[in-house]
Amino acid sequence: MTAPPSQADLPSRVAALCAHLRSAHGFRLGPGETAAALAALGAVNLGRRREVRDALRAVLTASREEGRVFDAAFDTFFRQGEAPAPLRLPPLLPQTEAPLPPPPPAPASQTGDEGAAQPTPAGQAVAGEDDGDAPTPTHPNPEREAEGEPDAPAPLLHARRSPNAGAGGGVTTPEDDLAELLRAAGALVRAVELGRGRRLVPRPVGSRLDARRTLRSAARTAGDPARLRWLGRPRRAPRFLLVLDGSRSMGPHAARLLRFAHALHLRSRRVEVYAFSTDLTRLTPHLRRAVPGAALTLPDLGGAWGGGTRIGENLLRLAREERGRVTRDTVVLILSDGLDTGEPETLTRALRDLRARAGMLVWLSPLASLPGYQPVQRAVAAALPLLDAFLPAASLRDLHALGGRLQR
Amino acid sequence: MTALPEPPDLRAAFRERGYVAGDALATALRLVVALGKPLLLEGPAGVGKTEAAKTLAAALGTRLIRLQCYEGLDAQSALYEWNYARQLLHLRAAEAGGRAVTDAELYGPEFLMQRPLLEAIRQPTPPVLLIDEVDRADDAFEAFLLELLAEWQVTVPELGTLTATARPYVLLTSNRARELSDALRRRCLYLWVDYPSRAEELEIVRARLPGIDAELAGQVTRAVHALRELPLGKPPGVAETLDWAAALVALHRDHLDAAALELTLGAVLKLREDQLLARPVLEKLARP
C-alpha cells in the first residue's frame, strides 16, 4: 500500500479501502457502494487527488463523523511520495482488546477541530463523537490505574485527581432490574402529554373534513355525501432528551439512571441520551447497539463519566450544539444531584435556552428523595424557577412514580 | 449505467451566480449530475445548503422544484391530491343532466392536483428537486421517500404506476433535528457543509456585494468569525453575514464603527441574549 497510486490498480485500491472502512470502522458499505465509488471516479479528474478524495468521501460516508475517519483512511490508501509517515486510524467502533502502547512522552496538543477524533492506535476505543476537548490525548486503562501502576506521566495523574477532571474509563452496569425499569419507562412514555401533533389522521370525530374518504363513501350513495368522514390530530408522541450527570458524586445512582435511560430508549425510538461530567458525550449510538437484557457496557467515556461536575457549561453546550434536537415535542430530563462547581449564571442561561424550546423541562435528583431534603445547592436553587418539575429519582419506586407525577 | 453528458464546470457557473462553492461541494454536485444519485447536505443552518440547490438549478438552466418538509407532512401533500370540490360539482352536474359518470372520467388528469414530488418526476427535462429540511418530516414520510428515490416511480391508486420521464437531480437538506435513517443515508451521496473559512467568506461577500468597501468586507467577516467562537444561542450563518454586509452598504458605511454596529446588530444576531454577550467582542473589532 506504500506504492504511489496508479490508475491501473485503482479499482483494487478502492475495494480495499471499502473493505477496511467496513471491517475496522463499521461503515455500512456493500458491493453497491464499491461500484458507486468506482462510477464516481469515472466522473472526476483522476489526476487531482483532492477531487478523488472528495468524490469517494461523498459516496462512502454517511455522516460527519464517518467523514473524519474516511479522510485518515484515504491518506493511508492513496499516499503521496515514497516515504510517508504511517497514519494511525481512529476506529469509529471499538475493536478487539489490545495491549496499550506506552504513553507519549509529552501531552499532545489539542486540535482546533471540535469533536475531531484523535489518531489513536488501532485496538483502542475512542471515547465517542463529542469528546473533542477530553483532557488527555489517550485514555489510560482504568483497571491499571486502579491497581496503582505508574502507566501515565505525572501531569496526567495529577489532572485526573483534580476536582474538575474527568476520570473516563469504560462503564458496565449490571442487568438485574431491567424488567422493572422497562415498566417505569413505559409508564413515563404513556403518561407524558404534550398536546396534539400536526399530522392529520382519519378519526371518527375531527377538526377537518376528510374529502377523499367522504367522496369515496359518496360513491355508494349515488354521489350524495350522506356520511361525512373526518380527520383529526393524534396525541403528540413525546421525544425525550436525557442528560445524565455521570460525575463521581452521583455514585451508584448514575449506573441505575443510565439503565433507566437504556430502558426508555428500548420503549421509544425517540430518545436521545447524553452523559456529562467535565465533558459532554452522546450515548445514543452506544445504547442503540446495546443488547437488551444483557449487561450494559459502554466504551471509555473520557471526561463524560466519573470526574467532576460542570452542569452549566455542558448544558449550554448541549443547548447550542444540539439545538435542532430540542423541539416542542421534547421532554428534557436532567438527571443530576446538582452538586456543581460551575457558576449558576451559566446554568441559568442554558436552562432558559432549553426551556424556551422544549415542551417540558424536568430535573430528577437522587438527593431529592432524602427525608428533609432542601434544594439549597447553588445549581438547583438557580434552576428551580425554570423547571416544570423537580422530582426525586433515587429508587425504582421514584422512577415508577415519574409517569404519574408528570401527568398534566 | 448510461453515459450522461459531461456536466458543465459547476464551480465557475456557481461563481457567476454569486455562489462560492468549495471543492467538496463542487465535486459532490458534479456527481449528482453525473451519477444521478441524490445528495444529502447536512450542516448548521445558514451555510448555504438550500441556496446550493437553487444555484444548481440556475447553473443547469432547469427548473427548481422545492418540497419544504414539516412535521405532519404526508405522502398525499407531497405527491398529489384530487380536486374534490371540482369532482363533486362534476358529479352533481352529471346527475342533473341524467348522465352516468365513469371512474376514468372522475379521476382524470383535469382533477389531479400535482404536488412537488409528482411534478418533479413528470417533467420532460430533469429538474432540480430540493427536499428541504427532511429531518423535520416524520419517519413515515422518510420511509415513503425511500421508495421514490430508489424506483423513481409512484403509484396513484386511481391512475396506476407513474414512472419518471426524466430523473430529477435531487438534493436533500437536514439540520439534524432528527437522526435520519441509515437506509435514507445509504441511498444518497453525503456532504457535511460547514461554515466557510474566513477567506472563503470574504470571497462570498465580495461575490454577492461587488460594490462593498474592501475594509468593511474584511471587518464584517472577521467579526462574524469572532462571533462563531462565542457560545451563542444562534450563531450567524453566511446568510446573516450577507444581510449584515448589505445593511451596512445600504447605510453607506465604509467601515464598522460603534454607531454602525448599533444600527445593524439585529441583522447578524437575532437573540437579545446573544447581542448582550457579543457586544464587548464586537465593540473591540469596531473602529473608533
Side-chain angles (χ1 to χ4, degrees):
Chain A
M1 274 185 274
T2 53
S6 72
Q7 293 189 19
D9 62 351
L10 202 55
S12 60
R13 193 86 59 100
V14 169
L17 173 65
C18 291
H20 172 75
L21 290 172
R22 184 171 53 236
S23 61
H25 303 289
F27 281 37
R28 296 184 177 207
L29 302 175
E33 280 73 22
T34 309
L38 291 171
L41 292 182
V44 297
N45 184 346
L46 293 178
R48 291 190 187 159
R49 190 170 183 275
R50 192 172 184 149
E51 230 172 82
V52 170
R53 189 192 62 192
D54 288 342
L56 290 180
R57 194 202 295 109
V59 174
L60 299 179
T61 68
S63 70
R64 188 187 190 191
E65 290 73 29
E66 284 189 358
R68 290 183 182 124
V69 175
F70 170 85
D71 283 349
F74 179 86
D75 286 343
T76 305
F77 275 77
F78 297 89
R79 206 174 290 150
Q80 283 176 319
E82 285 297 328
L87 271 174
R88 293 174 300 175
L89 302 175
L92 269 190
L93 295 175
Q95 292 180 304
T96 51
E97 292 292 328
L100 288 169
S109 61
Q110 287 182 5
T111 63
D113 192 0
E114 168 267 318
Q118 295 285 339
T120 53
Q124 186 178 351
V126 289
E129 52 208 79
D130 291 320
D131 59 345
D133 48 358
T136 56
T138 58
H139 304 299
N141 186 335
E143 287 175 17
R144 277 208 221 165
E145 201 181 325
E147 288 160 21
E149 274 187 42
D151 63 344
L156 175 62
L157 287 176
H158 176 74
R160 281 289 162 84
R161 297 290 171 255
S162 93
N164 291 327
V171 180
T172 304
T173 69
E175 52 185 291
D176 48 3
D177 46 7
L178 182 68
E180 284 301 311
L181 289 170
L182 280 172
R183 241 171 254 135
L188 177 62
V189 173
R190 284 192 300 275
V192 173
E193 172 79 62
L194 295 173
R196 299 270 153 194
R198 290 183 60 187
R199 193 181 187 89
L200 286 165
V201 296
R203 293 176 77 89
V205 180
S207 56
R208 193 179 291 184
L209 187 73
D210 186 345
R212 172 181 285 230
R213 285 170 61 237
T214 302
L215 189 71
R216 286 224 161 254
S217 67
R220 294 188 201 135
T221 48
D224 190 11
R227 195 169 161 202
L228 301 181
R229 310 286 177 142
W230 297 96
L231 293 170
R233 299 187 191 281
R235 171 178 169 264
R236 190 184 280 269
R239 293 172 189 273
F240 290 91
L241 178 72
L242 273 77
V243 201
L244 173 58
D245 181 349
S247 65
R248 270 197 304 270
S249 66
M250 285 286 285
H253 296 299
R256 166 165 289 178
L257 292 174
L258 178 60
R259 290 203 308 281
F260 178 62
H262 185 216
L264 199 59
H265 185 268
L266 291 171
R267 277 285 168 264
S268 166
R269 293 294 286 172
R270 296 152 69 95
V271 176
E272 281 288 338
V273 183
Y274 289 79
F276 73 89
S277 174
T278 51
D279 198 4
L280 178 79
T281 196
R282 183 167 167 241
L283 297 187
T284 319
H286 302 303
L287 295 183
R288 198 167 291 155
R289 282 195 288 267
V291 181
L296 183 60
T297 306
L298 305 183
D300 190 342
L301 297 180
W305 199 265
T309 317
R310 289 185 196 151
I311 305 178
E313 284 170 42
N314 285 305
L315 284 184
L316 194 62
R317 191 175 146 201
L318 181 83
R320 186 189 172 199
E321 292 178 9
E322 305 300 334
R323 201 173 174 77
R325 295 195 199 274
V326 185
T327 64
R328 302 305 298 172
D329 296 352
T330 313
V331 179
V332 178
L333 291 172
I334 300 163
L335 301 90
S336 170
D337 54 12
L339 301 174
D340 189 13
T341 53
E343 289 304 313
E345 291 75 31
T346 317
L347 177 66
T348 309
R349 181 170 153 74
L351 289 180
R352 200 177 296 141
D353 201 1
L354 287 171
R355 185 194 162 92
R357 284 177 290 120
M360 203 186 268
L361 186 58
V362 180
W363 189 306
L364 304 179
S365 167
L367 298 183
S369 61
L370 294 175
Y373 169 79
Q374 293 291 323
V376 290
Q377 299 96 327
R378 289 199 312 161
V380 175
L384 273 179
L386 296 165
L387 300 174
D388 289 296
F390 180 80
L391 300 171
S395 63
L396 260 179
R397 209 170 66 180
D398 290 337
L399 296 176
H400 271 297
L402 273 184
R405 286 169 168 161
L406 290 179
Q407 226 157 18
R408 282 179 167 174
Chain B
M1 181 175 297
T2 53
L4 287 155
E6 179 71 10
D9 182 354
L10 288 177
R11 226 180 148 154
F14 269 52
R15 183 62 209 249
E16 274 172 33
R17 288 159 181 83
Y19 191 107
V20 181
D23 288 331
L25 179 59
T27 303
L29 291 173
R30 191 181 164 88
L31 294 183
V32 170
V33 178
L35 304 183
K37 286 190 80 141
L39 170 64
L40 170 62
L41 294 171
E42 271 194 321
V47 291
K49 301 187 292 290
T50 303
E51 201 60 32
K54 290 182 188 170
T55 315
L56 179 66
L60 297 175
T62 186
R63 268 191 73 187
L64 173 78
I65 296 174
R66 178 175 177 169
L67 173 68
Q68 174 65 49
C69 296
Y70 54 87
E71 187 204 334
L73 174 67
D74 55 11
Q76 205 179 332
S77 322
L79 204 55
Y80 71 94
E81 213 160 349
W82 292 104
N83 190 336
Y84 304 111
R86 281 193 64 191
Q87 281 176 318
L88 271 177
L89 280 174
H90 186 76
L91 272 175
R92 288 284 190 200
E95 196 182 54
R99 188 169 62 82
V101 177
T102 61
D103 264 10
E105 192 183 340
L106 195 59
Y107 293 104
E110 66 270 32
F111 297 116
L112 184 67
M113 295 193 293
Q114 295 188 112
R115 300 298 187 210
L117 294 182
L118 187 59
E119 202 180 348
I121 66 167
R122 298 188 88 185
Q123 296 295 312
T125 52
V128 171
L129 171 63
L130 167 64
I131 302 175
D132 213 5
E133 301 190 335
V134 66
D135 50 328
R136 287 182 185 270
D138 306 315
D139 297 346
F141 183 74
E142 194 184 313
F144 159 75
L145 269 186
L146 290 180
E147 186 193 351
L148 180 79
L149 296 180
E151 307 296 335
W152 296 107
Q153 64 181 32
V154 292
T155 303
V156 178
E158 298 85 358
L159 298 179
T161 301
L162 304 172
T163 309
T165 44
R167 276 189 182 191
Y169 305 120
V170 183
L171 266 68
L172 301 99
T173 73
S174 163
N175 293 325
R176 299 213 298 175
R178 177 176 63 82
E179 204 60 52
L180 300 176
S181 70
D182 288 341
L184 182 68
R185 287 178 184 274
R186 276 194 63 194
R187 279 166 177 78
C188 299
L189 302 171
Y190 176 82
L191 184 67
W192 171 267
V193 188
D194 219 333
Y195 294 117
S197 68
R198 218 165 91 186
E200 283 171 341
E201 195 149 9
L202 184 60
E203 206 182 334
I204 293 167
V205 171
R206 284 184 172 158
R208 281 296 180 93
L209 303 163
I212 192 169
D213 182 87
E215 187 194 342
L216 179 64
Q219 272 187 312
V220 165
T221 46
R222 200 160 51 242
V224 166
H225 276 255
L227 290 176
R228 289 192 192 128
E229 297 295 315
L230 298 175
L232 299 178
K234 191 181 178 313
V238 180
E240 277 79 22
T241 312
L242 291 169
D243 284 351
W244 195 18
L248 289 162
V249 169
L251 295 173
H252 306 291
R253 301 284 170 161
D254 58 4
H255 68 276
L256 193 60
D257 56 20
L261 192 62
E262 197 60 45
L263 290 169
T264 58
L265 194 56
V268 66
L269 293 175
K270 314 288 174 73
L271 295 174
R272 182 169 159 65
E273 282 194 339
D274 286 353
Q275 290 188 354
L276 292 174
L277 189 74
R279 203 172 277 268
V281 176
L282 289 173
E283 279 167 1
K284 267 189 204 167
L285 287 166
R287 210 176 72 185

